[in-house]
């Protein structure tokens, strides 16, 4: 394999890595900004479920704005103070944790909607949904910053006189924290709860549809809508698991089998997959949620395709669907 004069193979790999990450970051930010904009424009989408979806979108925007740039910086191995490097690494965990807790909140919300439909509106209010979102982010910060209070890999003998190190995620982050606390406690457990909840959601919906079909020869529209939306949101959870589990599994391999060597290419691929997840969610909403898709098309037509003369206004704002 030949390389351009003056560019080493390692530099070429770094450039490719940075370029791909930059594309993922741009897609994550643009896609999820549109998610927030769609919810703001369409009043019909300003419900408790989309309150949690906006929280997830904000976390995905943070991936593009903060996580990916920080991951690039850390991958280059800059010289930083130990606790500066550790704090930057903790930020990556905080954003990830906020995503999974937002997904869990969505699952609980949909479960309550099909389990207690008559009492749902009085129990799950907009105010309580906002409180739940705040709690998700508070818990994310608390769990993500645990390494800062001592559960880390600080070894004084490896520090320079100024406390500087060559910054790297595995250099500062303790693997037992990543495996036992972060993965088993705050990834596997929430994912398991979500699987159980969505399983129960589909069971209840199918049961209700069958009962109504037998009684009236026509399925209830309410539960048909709930079934379609539940499938879309369950797909978001599945994509999260597919994108994030490989990286966590590699962490487990490193922890339980230190002599097992994982190729750097596999690690890079795992990192890419975890970041790509943030760009996928808007695609799921656009292709599978009709109200979201219609509003997105109307926004595109209004702000990108409508170019009237100065004295001719664009069409009126998007009506509620």
């Amino acid at each position: 394999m030949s390389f351009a004069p003056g560019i080493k193979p390692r530099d070429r790999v770094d450039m490719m890595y940075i370029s791909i990450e930059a594309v993922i970051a741009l897609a994550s930010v643009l896609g999820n900004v549109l998610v927030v904009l769609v919810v703001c424009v369409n009043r019909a989408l300003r419900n408790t479920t989309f309150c949690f979806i906006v929280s997830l979108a904000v976390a995905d925007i943070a991936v593009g704005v903060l996580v990916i740039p920080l991951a690039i910086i850390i991958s280059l191995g800059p010289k930083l103070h130990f606790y500066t490097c550790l704090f930057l690494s903790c930020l990556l965990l905080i954003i990830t944790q906020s995503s999974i807790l937002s997904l869990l909140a969505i699952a609980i919300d949909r479960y309550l909607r099909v389990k207690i439909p008559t009492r749902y509106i009085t129990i799950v209010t907009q105010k309580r949904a906002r409180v739940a979102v705040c709690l998700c982010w508070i818990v994310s910060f608390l769990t993500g910053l645990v390494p800062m209070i001592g559960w880390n890999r600080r070894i004084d003998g490896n520090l320079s006189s100024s406390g500087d190190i060559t910054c790297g995620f595995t250099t500062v982050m303790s693997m037992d924290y990543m495996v036992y606390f972060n993965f088993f406690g705050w990834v596997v457990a929430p994912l398991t709860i979500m699987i159980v909840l969505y399983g129960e959601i589909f069971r209840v919906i199918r049961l209700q549809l069958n009962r109504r079909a037998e009684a009236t020869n026509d399925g209830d529209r309410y539960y048909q809508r709930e079934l379609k939306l539940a499938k879309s949101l369950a797909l978001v959870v599945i994509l999260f698991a597919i994108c994030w589990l490989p990286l966590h599994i590699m962490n487990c391999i490193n922890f339980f089998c230190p002599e097992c060597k994982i190729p750097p290419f596999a690690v890079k691929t795992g990192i890419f997959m975890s970041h790509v997840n943030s760009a996928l969610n808007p695609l799921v909403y656009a292709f599978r949620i009709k109200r979201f898709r219609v509003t997105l098309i109307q926004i595109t037509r209004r702000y990108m395709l409508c170019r009237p003369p100065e004295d001719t206004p664009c069409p009126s704002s998007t009506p509620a669907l």
Side-chain angles (χ1 to χ4, degrees):
M1 181 180 293
S2 60
F3 295 92
I7 301 179
K8 298 179 180 179
R10 170 69 182 243
D11 295 335
R12 183 78 170 237
V13 171
D14 288 341
M15 289 170 61
M16 290 178 61
Y17 170 74
I18 293 172
S19 299
I20 296 173
E21 287 281 37
V23 172
I24 295 173
L26 182 62
S28 299
V29 173
L30 291 179
N32 287 285
V33 166
L34 283 175
V35 171
V36 177
L37 183 60
V38 165
V39 175
C40 291
V41 168
N42 191 338
R43 293 181 180 179
L45 296 177
R46 298 179 197 171
N47 54 39
T48 52
T49 298
F50 276 88
C51 180
F52 298 124
I53 288 177
V54 167
S55 175
L56 178 60
V58 170
D60 288 335
I61 291 170
V63 169
V65 174
L66 288 175
V67 172
I68 293 179
L70 288 177
I72 292 173
I73 292 171
I74 291 175
S75 72
L76 299 177
K79 287 285 186 179
L80 296 174
H81 190 276
F82 177 88
Y83 282 106
T84 301
C85 180
L86 182 61
F87 179 73
L88 296 181
S89 299
C90 287
L91 285 179
L92 310 184
L93 300 177
I94 290 169
I95 303 302
T96 305
Q97 203 57 54
S98 64
S99 295
I100 197 167
L101 289 180
S102 296
L103 289 172
L104 180 59
I106 292 171
I108 295 172
D109 174 75
R110 302 321 296 178
Y111 172 77
L112 293 175
R113 190 172 178 86
V114 300
K115 197 70 174 179
I116 50 171
T118 57
R119 292 184 292 152
Y120 171 82
I121 296 177
T122 58
I123 294 176
V124 186
T125 62
Q126 285 284 358
K127 182 178 180 180
R128 288 174 179 172
R130 294 189 187 101
V131 171
V133 168
C134 291
L135 286 175
C136 287
W137 282 89
I138 291 171
V139 172
S140 299
F141 271 93
L142 293 177
T143 57
L145 291 176
V146 166
M148 294 294 296
I149 62 176
W151 201 346
N152 54 56
R153 296 191 63 184
R154 179 185 172 93
I155 302 175
D156 292 335
N158 292 340
L159 300 179
S160 66
S161 57
S162 61
D164 291 346
I165 59 167
T166 300
C167 186
F169 188 85
T170 55
T171 306
V172 296
M173 201 63 66
S174 173
M175 275 298 115
D176 56 346
Y177 163 83
M178 288 300 300
V179 172
Y180 291 124
F181 187 82
N182 183 261
F183 179 49
F184 290 145
W186 291 98
V187 175
V188 173
L191 280 176
T192 302
I193 295 172
M194 282 185 267
I195 291 170
V196 172
L197 287 175
Y198 278 108
E200 181 65 11
I201 288 169
F202 292 132
R203 188 191 69 81
V204 171
I205 291 176
R206 291 294 186 187
L207 182 63
Q208 292 296 332
L209 288 175
N210 290 338
R211 286 177 178 175
R212 283 161 174 73
E214 291 173 0
T216 64
N217 295 320
D218 186 22
D220 186 87
R221 289 185 178 181
Y222 174 85
Y223 284 103
Q224 288 181 350
R225 289 197 306 268
E226 288 302 313
L227 177 61
K228 187 174 182 179
L229 183 56
K231 287 180 178 179
S232 301
L233 297 175
L235 177 59
V236 173
V237 175
I238 292 170
L239 289 174
F240 181 91
I242 291 173
C243 290
W244 277 98
L245 286 180
L247 191 59
H248 282 289
I249 290 171
M250 283 185 275
N251 285 339
C252 290
I253 293 173
N254 281 330
F255 181 69
F256 292 113
C257 183
E259 64 275 9
C260 299
K261 300 299 180 183
I262 299 176
F265 176 77
V267 177
K268 292 281 189 186
T269 302
I271 294 173
F272 281 138
M273 288 179 65
S274 67
H275 294 164
V276 165
N277 179 247
S278 297
L280 293 178
N281 291 339
L283 297 178
V284 174
Y285 307 144
F287 282 103
R288 294 194 55 90
I289 302 178
K290 184 178 180 180
R291 289 181 299 172
F292 182 93
R293 181 171 64 253
V294 170
T295 307
L296 182 60
I297 292 172
Q298 290 176 336
I299 290 174
T300 302
R301 287 176 177 173
R302 182 183 180 192
Y303 293 103
M304 298 183 67
L305 301 181
C306 179
R307 297 173 181 171
E310 292 183 1
D311 57 344
T312 306
C314 284
S316 59
S317 60
T318 305
L321 300 179

